[in-house]
Structures are given as structure tokens and as C-alpha cells.
Amino acid sequence: MSRRATRPQRRPAASAAPAVSAASPCPCGLTAPYGECCGRFHAGPATAAPTAELLMRSRYSAFVVRDASYLLRTWAPESRPGEVDFDPSMRWAGLEIRDTTDGTAFHQTGTVTFVARYTHGGEPGSLHERSRFRRHEGAWVYVDGDFLDEV
């Protein structure tokens, strides 16, 4: 997700992240529990997502659980912000992957087009983006993205 999605303006300290345990359903929408799915990339034994799509999913989940260190660690150095500000009134509500191009173990770049649903101040909304990823020192990182009109 892009910088515009995370830093609309300076906010007071974020409220507590939604409770997600290792046994909870993974926020990214895959069937494995969080600890075996995206949680393994956030703090577990797996340090790097093997595909651009899995990195996208794990970054979405990091927004859900408000894991700023993971988001910064998986952001390309040339586009990485100095910090991630979480909006305390934003609640991520679901992720739909619409398309992927390249981004496997055999590629150096890839794109993932997705729709992330949320509520902001109690109002529903969605973020539709085509994100660009590349390999940096062997690991997938988020570079940037283009916002798309919802279809």
C-alpha cells in the first residue's frame, strides 16, 4: 500500500491494534491462521515472503496489526518513508487480490493489483491499487503503487 494510504496527515498516537493472535484467521484472507501465514513473516521464523503476492498479503496484514517495523523493512529504500503513522480511526476489513504479474522466484519485479476494504471513522471505503515490487538484496520489497478507480 502506498505512502498516501498510511500518511494522510500527522495523527496522535494510534489506538491499540486489533487483537490478532497466532491462531486467529489471517487478515490477508488465506485459509491458514495468522501465525502460519503472514505472522511468520512479521515476527516468525520466515524472514522474507517468497513472492510479490505473499509480500503484498503480509504487508496488508501488517497494516491490520499495525506492525510499522515490518512495513518499513519491506519498503524499497528509495521510496521508504521515515515512519509509518497509523490512523486510529482506520480499520482494515478485507483484501481481494485482483491480478498479479510476475513476482515469483523466477522474476526480479512484479505487480499486484488489489482492493483493500476498510472503515474510516465508521464509514466504509476501499483502496484499489496496482503495487510495484522488486527484489532488493534478494528479498521482495514494495516500491510504489498507482491508485485505480474501483470497478
Side-chain angles (χ1 to χ4, degrees), residues 8 17 21 24 26 37 47 55 80 87 108 111 117 128 141 149:
S21 72
S24 297
C26 193
C37 194
T47 57
L55 180 61
R80 180 185 306 135
D87 183 336
Q108 293 300 308
T111 63
R117 304 213 185 281
H128 190 189
V141 293
D149 292 329

Side-chain angles (χ1 to χ4, degrees), residues 74-87:
T74 58
W75 218 309
E78 68 274 12
S79 58
R80 180 185 306 135
E83 64 181 0
V84 178
D85 288 333
F86 295 105
D87 183 336

